[in-house]
Amino acid sequence: MEKNKKISAILGMKQEDMAILLQVNKSQWTMHEIGQRDLPLDAQ
């Protein structure tokens, strides 16, 4: 999702860092970024 990419860029964080912050694995975050998957409710 474009909005999430902007958030990552603003924060200066890599995908791995965002995944750790949200307590999801990197593939979950990556798929969420490209719009193929929703994050778990806890991470939202």
Side-chain angles (χ1 to χ4, degrees), residues 1-42:
M1 300 178 80
E2 188 65 31
K3 179 179 174 182
N4 293 322
K5 288 181 183 178
K6 290 179 183 177
I7 292 169
S8 297
I10 290 169
L11 297 175
M13 298 179 77
K14 298 178 190 174
Q15 286 181 331
E16 296 88 3
D17 298 331
M18 284 297 293
I20 291 167
L21 179 69
L22 297 172
Q23 297 180 348
V24 297
N25 63 46
K26 183 180 173 241
S27 71
Q28 282 178 302
W29 176 251
T30 302
M31 291 183 77
H32 178 70
E33 274 191 322
I34 60 176
Q36 291 186 352
R37 175 180 198 154
D38 289 330
L39 289 175
L41 291 177
D42 294 345

